[in-house]
Amino acid sequence: EIVLTQSPVTLSVSPGDRATLSCRASQNVRSSLAWYQQKPGQPPRLLIYGIITRAIGVPARFSGSGSGTEFTLTISSLQSEDFAVYYCLQYNNMPPWTFGPGTKVDLK
Amino acid sequence: EESLVESGGDLVQPGGSLRLSCAASGFTFSGFWMHWVRQSPEKGLEWVSRINYNGSVTTYADSVKGRFAISRDNAKNTLYLQMSSLRADDTAVYYCTRDRSAPFDLWGQGTKVTVSS
């Protein structure tokens, strides 16, 4: 089973800041890495898949990068609606599909 | 509008059974593999089970294998999860979600399952 670790656990930022979130996989997941955003009381929302492809309706300030075992989600200029928990998912070596433990982005 | 709506969550005693349903609308349900994913504070997001387009292929997490059964009725646009021999660590919000070219691109709002005496 591929284990995903995310850092930091919490990222405190101000609106307009650039936010960089990391996801590390225990094995090579090739291009099968996705990112999700979850707000309280809501289900996860797909943001990025295939490392770099934004899902339909996702603003351009969200971008993904990385390869192999190291991946990054960048929010170029944080908006108030971006405060949430962000999860990475690997879907290369499944079952099982595995999620990271999440990074909470909150207000500094 | 595409949507998934789960139902069937409840408070159940350890060792009990429960069936969850997920009603799909606004898209061609039979064109998607479907999954159940659960979320708890202790374990975070955890993939539970998957079913292919016509129900002929099913896959389970080790933690639920032999206790849970996924199925679907494409005529009713509905996904199911039959859960038996429930344990306290099955307590979670259960989501249904779909999978095709993008993984888990649509989620329901979830249904809460609590296993407790």
Side-chain angles (χ1 to χ4, degrees):
Chain A
E1 173 177 328
I2 294 179
V3 176
L4 300 179
T5 55
Q6 291 186 243
S7 60
V9 173
T10 303
L11 184 62
S12 298
V13 296
S14 300
D17 285 354
R18 181 184 187 89
T20 302
L21 289 67
S22 296
C23 175
R24 174 176 290 179
S26 61
Q27 301 173 38
N28 187 345
V29 300
R30 304 181 190 278
S31 62
S32 301
L33 194 287
W35 291 92
Y36 296 81
Q37 175 193 68
Q38 188 177 32
K39 298 179 180 179
Q42 296 184 18
R45 170 197 177 197
L46 176 66
L47 295 177
I48 303 278
Y49 63 98
I51 303 178
I52 63 170
T53 303
R54 278 189 301 276
I56 295 171
V58 175
R61 63 181 181 271
F62 291 92
S63 63
S65 62
S67 64
T69 61
E70 300 279 347
F71 303 93
T72 300
L73 174 69
T74 301
I75 310 172
S76 60
S77 178
L78 207 89
Q79 304 298 302
S80 58
E81 61 266 31
D82 300 336
F83 293 106
V85 181
Y86 293 82
Y87 298 95
C88 53
L89 163 79
Q90 74 80 22
Y91 53 104
N92 178 65
N93 186 10
M94 68 287 185
W97 287 252
T98 51
F99 293 87
T103 291
K104 183 178 182 180
V105 176
D106 68 9
L107 184 62
K108 182 185 289 183
Chain B
E1 182 184 355
E2 299 177 330
S3 75
L4 296 168
V5 178
E6 303 93 339
S7 60
D10 205 348
L11 170 64
V12 61
Q13 292 191 340
S17 299
L18 208 56
R19 188 174 86 154
L20 306 183
S21 300
C22 169
S25 62
F27 65 96
T28 304
F29 179 68
S30 60
F32 289 80
W33 291 64
M34 296 297 296
H35 299 248
W36 288 96
V37 174
R38 65 187 181 185
Q39 185 173 30
S40 65
E42 296 77 21
K43 297 183 185 178
L45 286 164
E46 181 185 16
W47 172 80
V48 173
S49 182
R50 171 192 73 174
I51 190 166
N52 75 332
Y53 307 107
N54 62 9
S56 62
V57 176
T58 58
T59 316
Y60 299 92
D62 288 345
S63 58
V64 307
K65 202 171 293 183
R67 301 187 300 120
F68 289 13
I70 190 172
S71 62
R72 66 191 297 163
D73 185 336
N74 286 342
K76 294 183 178 179
N77 291 333
T78 303
L79 175 72
Y80 302 100
L81 185 68
Q82 179 68 48
M83 305 185 294
S84 60
S85 302
L86 283 162
R87 311 185 304 220
D89 64 356
D90 294 318
T91 295
V93 175
Y94 284 73
Y95 296 101
C96 62
T97 182
R98 70 181 190 184
D99 182 12
R100 194 165 68 180
S101 54
F104 307 163
D105 69 331
L106 180 69
W107 297 63
Q109 286 298 311
T111 188
K112 186 169 177 61
V113 173
T114 303
V115 183
S116 174
S117 54

